[in-house]
Amino acid sequence: MTLRSKLALFISLLVLSIAAFAMEPFVIKDIKIEGLQRTEPGTVFNYLPVQVGDTMTEDKSSEAIKSLYRTGFFKDIRIEADQNILLITVQERPSIADIQFSGNKMFQTDKLKESLKSVGLTEGQIYDKTKLEFMEQEIKKQYLSLGKYTASVKTTTSPLERNRVAIRFDIEEGIISRIKEINIVGNQVYQKLDLTSQFQLQTTNWLSWWYKDDQYSKQKLTADLETLKSFYMNRGYLEFSIDSTQVSITPDKEDVFITINISEGSKYKVSDVKLAGDLLQVPENELQKLIKIKKEDIFNREKVTETTKAMNNRLGNDGFAFSNVNAIPDINKDEHTASFTFFVDPGRKVYVRRIDIEGNTRSRDEVIRREFRQVESGWYAADKIERSKERLKRTQFFSDTNIETPAVPGTTDQVDLKVKVTERNTGSIMFGAGLSNQEGVIGSFNVTQANFLGTGDRVSAQVNTGRINRTYALSMTQPFFTPEGTALSYDLYRRDINASRVTFATYDTSSIGAGFRFSVPFTERNAFSYGLTFDNTEVENLNSDLAPIRFINYCRTVRGSANVTGCSMNSLNASVGWTEDSRDDILFPKKGGLRRANAEISTPGLDIQMYKLTFQQSVYKEITNDLTFMINGQVGYANSYGGKEFPFFKNFYVGGVNSLRGYRISAVGPVCRAGDTTCGSTNQGRDMFLGGTKQLLGSAELFMPVPFLKNNNQFRLSAFIDAGNVYEESESIRLSSLRYSAGLGVMWISPFGPLKLIVAQPFNDKPTDRTEVIQFQMGQQF
């Protein structure tokens, strides 16, 4: 409230109080209120300290005036007496009919109106000049925090009929003041560039147009000062301090100068590290293992913080939700050493009373609760709560998940879990097309509901077309077919493959099948799966004058005829698998790993009798917050049994965007050369890649953010090295025959599906291999 407003209110109350002093006491026969336009009479009566039958006095008159003023509804109040009738005359404050903004470009109008609403300035509310003046200054402060020192905010209030007003904010944003220079005074050990390179704020540079890092912000400067302090204290400067900070601006308000005065102090070493406090709740040797800083180390504040955090987390796993571990230093300034005592205070052991869930407008409560490893009425366990949050994230049902643990009022050993989720759209109907330099145009129709009717079940219908692969599929997965977490999946499919399009053979295959599979969790991150699939595969367009001899002979064996252009085979395939998945995220993991072993065998008695074994392992290691290293390996082996020949169309192949990058899809390994009559016919006019029954793949990849795209979790850039090959049954696996490639890749999770762009350089390739330097794939493939 401004001084002028306070003075006006004081004078009004004073005048009315004087009038009240002249009032003689009387018994109230009736109460009349005049001047009301929007406010109900009952509202006024509720705030009055007197009623009919009471004796009206000077004190009660003054109290009534103050009570009505405190409502904020009125700007003028008079109380009079007329033959024992209490007459109250009021003048209402105007209401807000409309709020308009002009000139605002950096802030959206809707966001500004939300800010006004938070203080009671919105359409339909009582107009309060004090609040309006406050918000005028607040908006200006927001512009100042963005470096717009020439910004101005002017408000205009226009009276309307029926005691209403319209408010208009006229904003002139002005120019942005840019950082001209950042000076650090007092640095002796490190150069200015070493220090300022850590800052978010920078002087104007050639990338400032994108990053806007030359725009002064008080919040960013505060963060940079903390970064500067951490830089020194993580390198041993225990007594480092920031003495002062000056920010000055030129008269034209275009250039900003920042000066930071510091005292570096001396570098300190750690002379000793000890534990103290209550060491009975968690074994002391376990806490000792969590200490990151050791005797004779250079002091590092980050390691001290990591140690206290790790100890608190360990105590939290055993139910000590409010544990407190403090690092108490003992500084020897003469020798420039410091000893640290980590004082452990576990506090009281607590348990979780209940789990409350909010925000799930579609998902049923049970869908969320079944992902929780923390149980109600159980001891609090920080690791189980964190795992529960991770499991909720992996469902991909929610865009945001937040878990709070407030203490239960009136108790010292209970907490509640407040789970707040923000649901994302889990259903999609997509008509579209993808593009691949290997598949060409890929038409697609996809209807998917990953959270069908809020049950957590996934239902999907897919149609995808391409020059090489065509897929038509219906599938359903119940991730919790049993309460213990056993998953059940059903599949119906048809897959057509035009092999001649990738120049490895001259045949087409069409497979129709149906199957089911179960996945049974053994532990939190391990699962065993098994299933059955009936499959009918037809080989067509097998040209005896062009196809490799082994392909012709296989179909002759199946058909029992010398003249064949194809063959049809039935098989019942049993599969078993084991998966260990500790990745922290499905799309863009930063840590953890994936280990997967699968075995597929065709049951005896049908046309195909074969088995196929595969094993894959991926490990992700977070190097920094922005860098993740991944190493991946995959091996496969297949063969037939019972005297049957191995079906050639079940061979392993490598090459392509999702395999050995830099090589064409399925265009590496054993090949039947054009004109080679030992494996093909004399009419064979091109090389045909045969694939193999043995596969070896490996890759090492470094993932990083895409430059110029800050805080975007839809993009990922990588540098990679790939190696791989396939081998025939008669060949032995030789590392010297591996093909290699290296390059860069970018992936974007777009609204149309994942987009991959690869630039790779093959090396150690053979003359028969088909290579591609640039590869891309757009659109979802199944």
Side-chain angles (χ1 to χ4, degrees):
M1 184 178 290
T2 63
L3 180 60
R4 182 180 298 176
S5 300
K6 290 180 179 179
L7 184 60
L9 179 59
F10 175 75
I11 293 172
S12 299
L13 290 174
L14 182 62
V15 171
L16 290 170
S17 297
I18 292 173
F21 271 104
M23 181 179 294
E24 293 293 334
F26 67 96
V27 176
I28 302 173
K29 182 189 299 184
D30 192 12
I31 301 176
K32 293 183 178 180
I33 303 172
E34 297 180 353
L36 294 178
Q37 294 182 350
R38 296 181 311 274
T39 308
E40 292 294 330
T43 302
V44 178
F45 287 129
N46 287 335
Y47 285 100
L48 281 178
V50 294
Q51 57 185 353
V52 174
D54 290 350
T55 299
M56 190 66 181
T57 63
E58 298 169 353
D59 293 338
K60 288 184 179 180
S61 178
S62 298
E63 185 181 349
I65 291 173
K66 293 176 182 177
S67 178
L68 292 177
Y69 261 118
R70 280 195 295 266
T71 65
F73 299 156
F74 312 109
K75 66 178 180 180
D76 187 30
I77 303 168
R78 296 199 313 274
I79 294 181
E80 298 172 323
D82 182 15
Q83 297 180 356
N84 293 343
I85 297 175
L86 184 64
L87 180 62
I88 303 175
T89 306
V90 298
Q91 185 179 352
E92 290 183 331
R93 291 181 182 274
S95 64
I96 301 173
D98 187 34
I99 300 177
Q100 296 291 334
F101 288 87
S102 67
N104 54 305
K105 297 178 182 178
M106 300 195 72
F107 297 108
Q108 296 179 2
T109 299
D110 291 343
K111 297 296 182 182
L112 291 173
K113 285 190 174 182
E114 285 180 13
S115 299
L116 294 178
K117 187 176 181 180
S118 65
V119 298
L121 285 177
T122 186
E123 286 89 345
Q125 293 294 319
I126 301 299
Y127 168 66
D128 189 328
K129 186 177 180 181
T130 303
K131 293 179 179 179
L132 182 62
E133 292 174 349
F134 170 78
M135 286 307 301
E136 181 179 325
Q137 295 302 315
E138 283 300 308
I139 294 174
K140 188 171 183 179
K141 286 180 182 178
Q142 292 301 314
Y143 278 103
L144 292 177
S145 68
L146 296 177
K148 293 213 165 191
Y149 287 93
T150 59
S152 65
V153 181
K154 183 181 178 182
T155 58
T156 305
T157 305
S158 303
L160 302 175
E161 69 279 1
R162 299 195 304 275
N163 197 25
R164 299 179 303 155
V165 295
I167 300 174
R168 180 181 178 86
F169 287 82
D170 293 301
I171 300 173
E172 291 185 8
E173 295 186 335
I175 62 173
I176 295 177
S177 303
R178 304 189 181 276
I179 299 173
K180 186 71 173 178
E181 190 172 356
I182 301 176
N183 291 315
I184 298 179
V185 180
N187 55 308
Q188 303 295 327
V189 180
Y190 298 101
Q191 298 294 322
K192 183 180 106 171
L193 184 61
D194 297 330
L195 302 176
T196 57
S197 62
Q198 311 291 323
F199 291 179
Q200 297 181 56
L201 295 177
Q202 299 290 328
T203 56
T204 302
N205 55 77
W206 69 281
L207 285 176
S208 293
W209 64 274
W210 181 268
Y211 288 128
K212 297 179 173 53
D213 52 7
D214 63 342
Q215 299 178 11
Y216 172 74
S217 165
K218 185 178 180 180
Q219 291 83 357
K220 288 184 178 180
L221 178 60
T222 301
D224 286 341
L225 294 177
E226 183 58 33
T227 300
L228 179 61
K229 187 175 182 179
S230 297
F231 181 89
Y232 272 95
M233 298 197 80
N234 292 342
R235 289 162 176 79
Y237 295 90
L238 180 60
E239 296 181 305
F240 172 83
S241 65
I242 298 175
D243 301 326
S244 63
T245 305
Q246 293 89 37
V247 179
S248 58
I249 188 169
T250 55
D252 58 8
K253 296 186 178 181
E254 291 187 2
D255 297 326
V256 176
F257 294 83
I258 301 174
T259 302
I260 304 170
N261 296 282
I262 65 173
S263 296
E264 292 179 328
S266 301
K267 182 178 284 191
Y268 278 74
K269 293 181 67 175
V270 178
S271 59
D272 196 13
V273 179
K274 296 180 292 185
L275 283 172
D278 186 351
L279 305 177
L280 300 178
Q281 306 301 330
V282 174
E284 184 176 349
N285 63 327
E286 289 192 26
L287 296 178
Q288 288 282 359
K289 293 177 182 178
L290 300 176
I291 298 176
K292 306 294 185 183
I293 193 165
K294 307 297 182 184
K295 185 178 180 179
E296 300 301 323
D297 284 354
I298 299 297
F299 167 70
N300 188 309
R301 186 177 70 167
E302 184 177 5
K303 290 184 177 180
V304 173
T305 303
E306 288 177 359
T307 299
T308 58
K309 182 179 179 181
M311 289 184 181
N312 278 316
N313 288 341
R314 177 62 186 86
L315 289 163
N317 294 345
D318 285 356
F320 299 99
F322 304 114
S323 63
N324 189 15
V325 179
N326 287 319
I328 303 173
D330 184 9
I331 301 174
N332 187 329
K333 295 186 177 183
D334 295 331
E335 298 182 5
H336 303 306
T337 61
S339 63
F340 288 87
T341 301
F342 289 94
F343 190 86
V344 179
D345 178 15
R348 187 183 293 269
K349 196 170 185 178
V350 302
Y351 66 90
V352 175
R353 183 183 65 164
R354 66 169 180 251
I355 300 174
D356 296 324
I357 302 171
E358 61 178 277
N360 53 319
T361 55
R362 292 190 301 273
S363 300
R364 300 177 184 177
D365 266 20
E366 64 184 81
V367 173
I368 298 174
R369 290 184 183 276
R370 70 193 185 189
E371 301 294 341
F372 263 78
R373 294 302 173 255
Q374 172 69 61
V375 297
E376 293 181 328
S377 301
W379 290 117
Y380 175 95
D383 54 344
K384 292 181 179 180
I385 294 174
E386 185 60 30
R387 177 58 180 166
S388 301
K389 185 175 181 179
E390 188 176 294
R391 287 178 61 89
L392 285 175
K393 184 179 179 181
R394 288 168 64 94
T395 65
Q396 301 293 311
F397 297 162
F398 312 108
S399 60
D400 185 53
T401 303
N402 185 47
I403 300 178
E404 297 179 352
T405 57
V408 176
T411 67
T412 58
D413 62 349
Q414 298 179 42
V415 296
D416 288 335
L417 290 192
K418 301 290 186 181
V419 183
K420 187 174 183 179
V421 297
T422 303
E423 300 222 46
R424 63 157 46 117
N425 185 14
T426 57
S428 65
I429 300 178
M430 182 184 297
F431 297 88
L435 187 63
S436 168
N437 61 336
Q438 295 152 1
E439 296 265 17
V441 177
I442 307 166
S444 67
F445 169 73
N446 181 11
V447 180
T448 302
Q449 178 49 261
N451 188 9
F452 184 66
L453 298 178
T455 62
D457 297 343
R458 180 182 182 88
V459 179
S460 178
Q462 303 155 8
V463 177
N464 294 274
T465 61
R467 292 187 306 171
I468 302 171
N469 293 287
R470 295 192 177 194
T471 301
Y472 311 87
L474 289 171
S475 64
M476 178 177 179
T477 299
Q478 296 176 267
F480 278 80
F481 180 68
T482 67
E484 293 77 19
T486 297
L488 173 61
S489 299
Y490 313 89
D491 297 287
L492 293 171
Y493 64 86
R494 173 172 175 169
R495 298 188 183 98
D496 298 334
I497 301 177
N498 185 349
S500 62
R501 289 288 187 176
V502 288
T503 71
F504 61 76
T506 54
Y507 69 89
D508 299 333
T509 66
S510 178
S511 298
I512 299 176
F516 68 89
R517 61 188 180 277
F518 288 94
S519 178
V520 183
F522 279 170
T523 66
E524 184 62 31
R525 292 178 170 84
N526 290 268
F528 172 75
S529 61
Y530 58 93
L532 281 175
T533 300
F534 178 80
D535 180 271
N536 171 263
T537 297
E538 293 188 3
V539 177
E540 302 172 335
N541 300 325
L542 190 63
N543 192 321
S544 59
D545 293 330
L546 299 177
I549 293 174
R550 68 177 66 179
F551 296 179
I552 301 296
N553 290 339
Y554 179 82
C555 276
R556 284 173 178 171
T557 302
V558 173
R559 292 280 300 273
S561 172
N563 297 318
V564 296
T565 58
C567 49
S568 177
M569 294 137 290
N570 295 321
S571 64
L572 181 62
N573 302 316
S575 62
V576 293
W578 167 76
T579 301
E580 180 184 18
D581 190 352
S582 59
R583 294 173 297 173
D584 62 336
D585 189 79
I586 298 297
L587 293 176
F588 295 145
K590 287 190 172 184
K591 57 184 177 181
L594 175 65
R595 190 179 299 168
R596 181 184 291 149
N598 288 293
E600 177 187 346
I601 184 168
S602 300
T603 58
L606 296 177
D607 300 319
I608 296 177
Q609 293 183 189
M610 55 149 283
Y611 60 90
K612 205 169 191 179
L613 308 173
T614 59
F615 178 78
Q616 177 192 2
Q617 180 162 358
S618 303
V619 178
Y620 295 84
K621 177 67 175 177
E622 187 176 17
I623 300 174
T624 68
N625 191 46
D626 291 331
L627 295 178
T628 302
F629 178 73
M630 184 274 289
I631 187 167
N632 175 69
Q634 185 173 330
V635 295
Y637 178 74
N639 208 338
S640 59
Y641 69 93
K644 296 270 188 176
E645 189 174 347
F646 185 82
F648 60 87
F649 50 85
K650 293 288 188 179
N651 278 343
F652 293 108
Y653 294 91
V654 296
V657 173
N658 300 309
S659 175
L660 184 62
R661 290 163 285 193
Y663 295 84
R664 288 194 65 178
I665 186 171
S666 305
V668 176
V671 61
C672 181
R673 300 298 303 272
D676 185 351
T677 57
T678 62
C679 64
S681 68
T682 55
N683 296 326
Q684 179 181 317
R686 59 183 178 181
D687 294 347
M688 297 186 183
F689 292 91
L690 305 175
T693 58
K694 304 170 186 176
Q695 180 191 57
L696 184 62
L697 281 170
S699 63
E701 200 156 0
L702 183 66
F703 298 104
M704 65 202 77
V706 177
F708 312 128
L709 292 177
K710 286 188 174 181
N711 303 321
N712 195 315
N713 56 7
Q714 302 299 315
F715 291 84
R716 185 172 63 172
L717 179 69
S718 68
F720 63 84
I721 297 177
D722 286 348
N725 203 353
V726 292
Y727 305 86
E728 295 184 286
E729 179 62 30
S730 59
E731 290 184 281
S732 60
I733 295 178
R734 304 184 311 276
L735 297 180
S736 60
S737 64
L738 289 176
R739 311 299 199 265
Y740 297 90
S741 66
L744 299 174
V746 64
M747 182 176 179
W748 174 33
I749 306 299
S750 75
F752 314 103
L755 182 150
K756 294 181 181 179
L757 176 63
I758 304 295
V759 179
Q761 178 58 53
F763 50 95
N764 197 36
D765 51 300
K766 305 302 180 184
T768 57
D769 297 335
R770 305 295 174 87
T771 63
E772 290 177 330
V773 175
I774 299 177
Q775 298 173 309
F776 60 90
Q777 178 178 289
M778 179 178 179
Q780 184 70 46
Q781 288 187 303
F782 300 89

